[in-house]
């Protein structure tokens, strides 16, 4: 099939960007979206032009590198998949596909479709850890975890940090990402010692970069891992609890 | 062959610096309110209070259908609420004070969060295709100010009796007559109807949203929440719009 691509090209962070149109006359419907871009890039290289820069790594929906805005939808039209898992059979012969990088003030464009998502790393660094005793390996299954808690934590842990939730949000809020990272640790016994400090610091760090949630629910629909906004509710409840719990440790300095 | 698709060279990038610094306060309530999540809590809690007010206001006003005597008697009752625990009108003023506080915090948090969001946002050059956001959620920033303007008009019309919002025949204490005289002006009746539609949309998203902001939702009840929001919005729109329509139709006069 024949596809016309309208792609955002921007040579560097400070440079002015613009859309350029590329024709891909022989696209197989078994190709993934990234393979389509590879094909276009092969053409560009042959013509001696600069290829389109876009992130990718695993190409199987587990690393979170590849997200772009495809026809106004983060990761494109199929639900619960990352850009690398989007196949061209979702499109029709002769389609025009518009591709744009994530847009958020905290996600500056590095080049073309590549944005800097290091703000996510800063959020995780602030509290996304658990403390463990070093020494000899603990016995397996020494710490019992309720099945429901491990299932829910696993759902949250599915977040690949792609940034589609921020990209989808009209407020550029990172609530879905942060709440998934929090729930992942806060639901498990291993995460309890730092739980209330973690909630406070990670929410505060998030707010240094991103907007505030107005409960549209766009993030949940965009998320390739189908993380639900129920995790955001849990984060909101935990945040106010953290204010009580952290205050109760009379006169004690907070860890970290 | 894999093509080179990553920007090559520079790997020494520094992380994106924070966009703003929050003022930390030692007083935990103040500290809580300076955070965006905290402001959403305040919005939700004041929202619950205001929804309660709007609902009881509407239910109370249904007495207009019982006739002038009952309606004026109800208006008088409001002034005598909790007498003799409080002197006459004192409790009413306490309620009014509480409502003003709720409005102030609701609006202040809304404005500061909206400003935060405008700063955090960068717009797309291509057309964004919204999947989950609905008309109500996307227009909160417009329905809010419409409701505030309408509230001022409404107070000027039926509480303070300030012309031109109020009619020339306004008389303090004559609640029923004032209401009928006001709604007999088709333009005013139109304003009330439009404003209450805006209120309905605002309450639809607000009622659904407040559970999320407070973190008290349960996935099992997420669908029920939608119905609750629809029910609250519908009750307000139908109830409040019925008054001007009834006056215009001559059912109430
Ligand atoms: S919550 Fe979903 S959309 Fe957001 S970063 Fe994680 S995987 Fe991506
Ligand atoms: S390339 Fe890893 S998620 Fe798409």
């Amino acid at each position: 099939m024949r596809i016309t691509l309208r792609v955002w090209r921007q040579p560097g962070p400070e440079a002015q960007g613009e859309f350029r149109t590329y024709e891909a006359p022989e696209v197989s419907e078994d190709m993934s979206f990234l393979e389509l871009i590879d094909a276009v890039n092969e053409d560009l290289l042959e013509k001696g032009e600069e290829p389109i820069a876009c992130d990718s790594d695993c190409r199987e929906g587990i690393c979170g590198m590849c997200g772009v805005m495809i026809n106004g939808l983060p990761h494109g039209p199929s639900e619960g998949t990352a850009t690398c898992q989007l196949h061209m059979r979702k499109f029709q012969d002769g389609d025009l596909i518009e591709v744009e990088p994530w847009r958020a003030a905290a996600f500056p464009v590095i080049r073309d479709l590549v944005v800097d998502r290091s703000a996510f790393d800063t959020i995780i660094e602030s509290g996304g850890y658990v403390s463990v005793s070093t020494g000899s390996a603990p016995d397996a299954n020494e710490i019992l975890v309720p099945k429901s808690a491990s299932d829910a934590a696993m759902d949250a842990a599915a977040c690949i940090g792609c940034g589609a939730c921020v990209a989808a949000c009209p407020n550029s809020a990172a609530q879905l990402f942060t709440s998934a990272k929090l729930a992942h640790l806060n639901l498990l016994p291993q995460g309890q010692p730092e739980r209330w400090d973690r909630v406070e610091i990670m929410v505060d760090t998030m707010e240094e970069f991103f907007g505030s949630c107005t409960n549209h629910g766009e993030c949940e629909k965009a998320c390739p891992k189908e993380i639900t906004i129920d995790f955001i509710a849990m984060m909101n409840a935990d945040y106010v609890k953290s204010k009580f719990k952290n205050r109760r440790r009379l006169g004690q300095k907070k860890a970290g | 062959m894999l093509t080179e698709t990553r920007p090559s060279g520079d790997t020494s990038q520094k992380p994106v610096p924070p966009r703003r610094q929050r003022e930390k306060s030692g007083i935990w309530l103040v500290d809580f309110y300076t955070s965006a999540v905290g402001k959403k809590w305040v919005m939700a809690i004041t929202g619950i209070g205001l929804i309660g007010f709007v609902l009881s206001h509407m239910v109370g006003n249904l007495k207009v259908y019982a006739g002038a005597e009952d309606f004026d008697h109800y208006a008088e009752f409001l002034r005598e609420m909790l007498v003799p625990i409080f002197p006459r009108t004192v409790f009413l003023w306490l309620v009014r004070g509480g409502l003003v506080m709720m409005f102030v915090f609701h609006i202040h948090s809304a404005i500061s969060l909206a400003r935060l969001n405008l700063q955090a946002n960068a717009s797309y050059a291509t057309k964004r295709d919204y999947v989950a956001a609905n008309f109500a959620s996307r227009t909160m920033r417009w329905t809010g100010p419409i409701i505030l303007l309408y509230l001022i008009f409404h107070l000027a019309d039926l509480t303070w009796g300030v012309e031109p919002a109020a009619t020339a025949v306004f008389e303090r204490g004559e609640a029923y007559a004032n209401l009928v005289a006001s709604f007999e002006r088709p333009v005013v009746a139109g304003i009330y109807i439009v404003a209450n539609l805006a209120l309905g949309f605002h309450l639809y998203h607000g009622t659904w949203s407040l559970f999320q902001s407070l973190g008290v939702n349960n996935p099992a009840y997420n669908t029920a929440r939608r119905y609750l929001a629809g029910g609250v919005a519908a009750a307000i729109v139908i109830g409040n719009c019925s008054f001007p329509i009834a006056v215009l139709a001559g059912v109430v006069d």
Side-chain angles (χ1 to χ4, degrees), chain A residues 120 158-165 176-177 180 219 222-225 227:
Chain A
F120 272 10
C159 168
I160 53 177
C162 63
C165 43
L176 195 65
F177 165 80
C219 51
C223 177
K225 296 292 133 186
I227 309 278

Side-chain angles (χ1 to χ4, degrees), chain A residues 216 218, chain B residues 132-139 204-205 226:
Chain A
H216 288 299
E218 282 293 328
Chain B
N134 53 36
F135 180 76
S137 75
R138 303 220 63 221
T139 52
Y204 176 71
H205 182 66
R226 278 280 174 214

Side-chain angles (χ1 to χ4, degrees), chain A residues 184-205:
Chain A
H184 168 192
L185 301 177
N186 286 352
L187 285 163
L188 296 173
Q190 291 89 336
Q192 296 316 304
E194 293 99 349
R195 178 172 184 171
W196 308 110
D197 287 331
R198 176 184 303 120
V199 176
E200 248 193 305
I201 188 76
M202 283 179 73
V203 168
D204 288 349
T205 311

Side-chain angles (χ1 to χ4, degrees), chain A residues 34 56-66 82-84 160:
Chain A
L34 293 182
S56 79
D57 191 0
C58 69
R59 300 209 172 197
E60 55 176 5
I62 55 168
C63 76
M65 289 305 282
C66 60
T83 302
C84 56
I160 53 177

